[in-house]
Amino acid sequence: MGYISVAIDGPSGAGKSTVARAAAAQLGYVYVDTGAMYRAIGLAVCRKGISGDDTAGIVSVLPEVELAIRYEDGAQHILLCGEDVSEAIRTPEIAKYASKVSAVPEVRQFLLDTQRDMAKNGNILMDGRDIGTVILPDAPVKIFLTASAEARAQRRYLELCEKGQQVTLDEVLRDIRQRDHQDMTRAVAPLRQAEDAVLLDTSALTLEQSIQAVLRIIREKTEENR
Ligand code: DC
């Protein structure tokens, strides 16, 4: 029997990972957060003191990057050369590095097979930017989950404040716009909605409504494909 892959793509801060994680848990699917992989590479580059604009430098770090994904109580943990970096990758600085390294073709190639292989081993719900367009173009369910830049900035701002990080709403909005621009205009695998993806705008939805909407789309699509 074939496994079911659900591809969820969209810009940063649309609530993708929270919604995807909850939906996967309800369905009993493995949740794969591909952004964490780009962040881990960004962290490796940052720790080496290499600039995010130094493409050759970024590529030179790849042979030393050993990524592993582990699940503890259903939560994804990402290991960089054996070290659990799940927390360390969640800073605005590493988000910027992640965006930079994700524009480098060698980095995307480096992660492509790992991500495809994960879909061969079970039912998965994978979230990212190019899952429906590049990584799993044949996924039976594709969702493009988005929200206005303002709604996303507001949510991310509250999240960062809760973590005790010193930021202003303006800074967060500016970062989001800059990252949207970088993610959508890069030459390789830019962020875009796959033609066969269902568009879900969560600007006016609560978290619970977003989760229910995602579950409804998955149910409809998997029944259609049966
Ligand atoms: O979803 P996130 O914020 O954790 O992603 C971090 C960065 O990685 C973001 O700038 C976009 C990039 N990314 C990507 O290019 N392709 C993916 N499949 C996932 C993330």
Side-chain angles (χ1 to χ4, degrees):
M1 196 195 94
Y3 291 114
I4 294 172
S5 302
V6 177
I8 302 195
D9 294 299
S12 56
K16 247 185 341 193
S17 51
T18 317
V19 171
R21 195 181 302 116
Q26 290 213 22
L27 293 164
Y29 287 18
V30 169
Y31 166 60
V32 183
D33 167 10
T34 61
M37 299 180 189
Y38 289 96
R39 284 171 182 263
I41 295 178
L43 181 69
V45 168
C46 173
R47 283 180 173 174
K48 286 263 173 199
I50 293 168
S51 153
D53 295 317
D54 178 359
T55 305
I58 292 170
V59 173
S60 77
V61 172
L62 290 178
E64 297 165 37
V65 171
E66 241 182 56
L67 291 185
I69 303 274
R70 202 185 278 159
Y71 292 89
E72 282 171 31
D73 301 325
Q76 173 183 296
H77 286 252
I78 185 142
L79 283 77
L80 172 64
C81 303
E83 177 195 347
D84 189 337
V85 294
S86 312
E87 283 294 316
I89 58 172
R90 301 288 160 200
T91 68
E93 188 192 14
I94 298 307
K96 278 184 206 142
Y97 266 96
S99 185
K100 296 274 189 185
V101 304
S102 71
V104 177
E106 287 86 345
V107 171
R108 305 205 72 86
Q109 191 59 39
F110 180 82
L111 292 176
L112 184 107
D113 289 336
T114 312
Q115 293 172 357
R116 283 197 181 148
D117 284 347
M118 295 182 96
K120 289 184 187 146
N121 298 321
N123 293 333
I124 56 145
L125 197 156
M126 191 175 278
D127 104 30
R129 302 293 189 286
D130 62 338
I131 310 305
T133 51
V134 178
I135 305 295
L136 305 173
D138 298 327
V141 189
K142 296 181 186 177
I143 299 172
F144 196 78
L145 197 141
T146 189
S148 68
E150 290 75 14
R152 289 184 281 132
Q154 182 68 33
R155 291 176 192 164
R156 181 61 52 100
Y157 171 70
L158 292 176
E159 241 174 61
L160 292 171
C161 288
E162 261 174 36
K163 287 185 187 163
Q165 294 187 17
Q166 301 283 323
V167 285
T168 66
L169 182 58
D170 268 0
E171 279 166 2
V172 178
L173 182 59
R174 203 174 50 227
D175 276 3
I176 281 195
R177 290 212 167 108
Q178 196 179 344
R179 278 219 283 160
D180 279 358
H181 182 74
Q182 271 174 24
D183 293 346
M184 291 193 289
T185 56
R186 69 177 174 223
V188 208
L191 170 65
R192 68 175 177 81
Q193 183 181 345
E195 272 174 24
D196 50 350
V198 177
L199 177 68
L200 178 63
D201 187 323
T202 68
S203 304
L205 300 185
T206 64
L207 183 57
E208 191 49 38
Q209 288 170 331
S210 306
I211 297 166
Q212 291 309 322
V214 162
L215 288 170
R216 196 165 49 240
I217 295 167
I218 296 173
R219 223 174 296 125
E220 280 168 12
K221 286 281 163 190
T222 44
E223 273 166 20
E224 256 174 40
N225 282 288
R226 209 176 276 156

